Amino acid sequence: FFFDCASSMADKQNVSKELVTVTQWEEALQSSAREHGNIVAEIFSTKWGACRAIAPTFRRIFFEVDEAAKLKFYTVDAMPILAELEEMDKAPPIDHGGKKKKDAELFKETLPEAWRPYLAQQNGKSKPLFLFYSSGKLHKTIHGINTPLICETVKEMTTVKTPADEFITNAQLLEVWGEYFDQRQSEVDYPKFMGAMNAICKLTVPLNDAENTALREALGVDKDMVVSAEKLQAWVGTGTIMQAFTALLPQYEERAISVRIEQEEKAKADGAGGAEGAAAEEEAPAEEVADETAPEA
C-alpha cells in the first residue's frame, strides 16, 4: 500500500516521460496519432539536460486538461537519438513491407525525416525547444521557456471541437482532410486550405481575384476566412476536390497555360538581352585597346 502511494505521488510530481531512442520517440508520436491525442515534447541537449523550471507548469496543465484530450508530455534527449539515426544511416535499408509504407503515408510527420532537423538544431544548445503535436501533426514549435505561449498552445490543441467526420460523408474527401488537416477539427483557415488546394489540384499559377472570389463563395467563406468541413462536403459532394474545382473554374487551366507561356517568353527575352549586354561588354575593351594603340601607329 505504501509503495503504491509512493509511486502515485512520484507520478504526480513528474508527468513527463523521458525518451532516448528512435523507437521510443517514433512510437510515442504514432500512438498519439492513432488515438488522435496531443503531445508536448521538450527537446533538449544531453549536455544541459531537461528544463526543471517548466515541470510545475506541465504538472498543472496535465491535471487541468480533460482526459479526453489524451495529452502526454515527453522530454526527448536529442543526442542519443541523433547518434542512433547516424548508425542507422550506415546500415543497409530494411524492407518493412506494406504496413511500414502505409504508416509512412498516414504518419509522415512522425517519421525521422520530419523531426530529425528539430533535434539536430538542439545539439549543444542550452535553451530548450518545445514541439506540440496534435493527431500526429506538428502544431507549433516554441524556442525557450515562454510559459504564457506554451499554456495558450496547449489550450488550442486540447479544446474539444466537432470532428470532421461529423460532416464529411465522402470517404475519399475525409481521407484528404486527414492528410492535410486535423480530423478532430471541422474548420481550417482559408490560407491553409489553399495550400492544400495547390497540392491537390497542382495549381501552377495563383488564382486571380475573380477566381478567388468564386471559390470562396462556393465554399461559403466569409469575413472570418474559414473553410468548414460541412461546406466543403456540400461543394465536393460524392466526387473529388479536383472535379469540383474544374467544374467551378473551367477556364483556369487555359489561363494558367497562357501565363506560363508569357513567363517563358519573358525569361527568354531577358536571357537574350543579358547575353547581348555581356557580348557588348566583351567587345568594349577591344575597342579601347584599338583607340589606345592608334597614336603609336
Side-chain angles (χ1 to χ4, degrees), residues 33-95:
R34 289 189 182 94
E35 63 182 13
H36 298 296
N38 296 284
I39 283 177
V40 179
E42 177 195 347
I43 313 300
F44 67 91
S45 169
T46 306
K47 178 181 178 181
W48 296 97
C51 178
R52 295 181 181 179
I54 198 67
T57 300
F58 282 175
R59 197 157 52 239
R60 176 176 58 79
I61 292 173
F62 180 80
F63 291 107
E64 286 179 353
V65 170
D66 193 310
E67 289 185 7
K70 299 174 183 175
L71 176 64
K72 293 181 180 178
F73 292 90
Y74 295 105
T75 53
V76 182
D77 191 341
M79 301 307 102
I81 293 178
L82 289 171
E84 185 181 348
L85 286 174
E86 288 178 5
E87 291 301 315
M88 292 169 67
D89 289 341
K90 298 174 185 176
I94 300 173
D95 185 3

Side-chain angles (χ1 to χ4, degrees), residues 213-275:
T213 299
L215 181 59
R216 287 200 297 267
E217 288 178 353
L219 291 167
V221 176
D222 51 27
K223 293 179 181 179
D224 63 359
M225 295 298 283
V226 167
V227 177
S228 72
E230 183 178 15
K231 296 291 180 60
L232 181 63
Q233 172 62 63
W235 180 52
V236 174
T238 58
T240 66
I241 289 179
M242 185 67 184
Q243 290 170 342
F245 178 82
T246 303
L248 177 69
L249 302 173
Q251 303 303 318
Y252 170 81
E253 188 56 36
E254 184 179 341
R255 185 182 71 80
I257 292 172
S258 298
V259 170
R260 291 200 300 272
I261 291 174
E262 289 177 9
Q263 291 173 341
E264 290 171 3
E265 290 177 348
K266 186 177 184 302
K268 288 179 182 178
D270 291 345

Side-chain angles (χ1 to χ4, degrees), residues 21 24 41 43 45 91 93 96 118-119 143 147 211 269 284:
T21 70
Q24 287 176 340
I43 313 300
S45 169
H96 294 279
Y118 293 104
L119 271 64
H143 287 268
T147 303
E211 290 164 343

